Amino acid sequence: MAVRHAAIDGLGIAILPDHVCRDALSDGRLVRVLPAWHGLKGIVHLVFTTRRGLPPAVRALIDHLAAGFQKELATRAPA
């Protein structure tokens, strides 16, 4: 978020995930300056600590996040 805020404040350009900058792009606080550039696809890690295994609430959160990422990837135009 610090990089996003710095870009909004005019301190430079940034490469940001879509979900971080979508609203700022929509309302004009940010502008896309290099439309052909995009970040690399990668792996998202979810780290948690527990001594009892995977609680159902954590499993539900993981499933929700995974479905959201899959939905987002499916709606994107190919780069």
Side-chain angles (χ1 to χ4, degrees), residues 12-32:
I13 63 172
I15 187 164
L16 299 166
D18 293 337
H19 70 278
V20 170
C21 62
R22 184 178 295 123
D23 291 341
L25 285 168
S26 294
D27 64 23
R29 289 178 292 149
L30 289 175
V31 294
R32 193 174 304 269

Side-chain angles (χ1 to χ4, degrees), residues 14-18 32-42 76-79:
I15 187 164
L16 299 166
D18 293 337
R32 193 174 304 269
V33 293
L34 299 169
W37 283 34
H38 56 85
L40 300 173
K41 290 183 181 179
R76 276 194 208 164

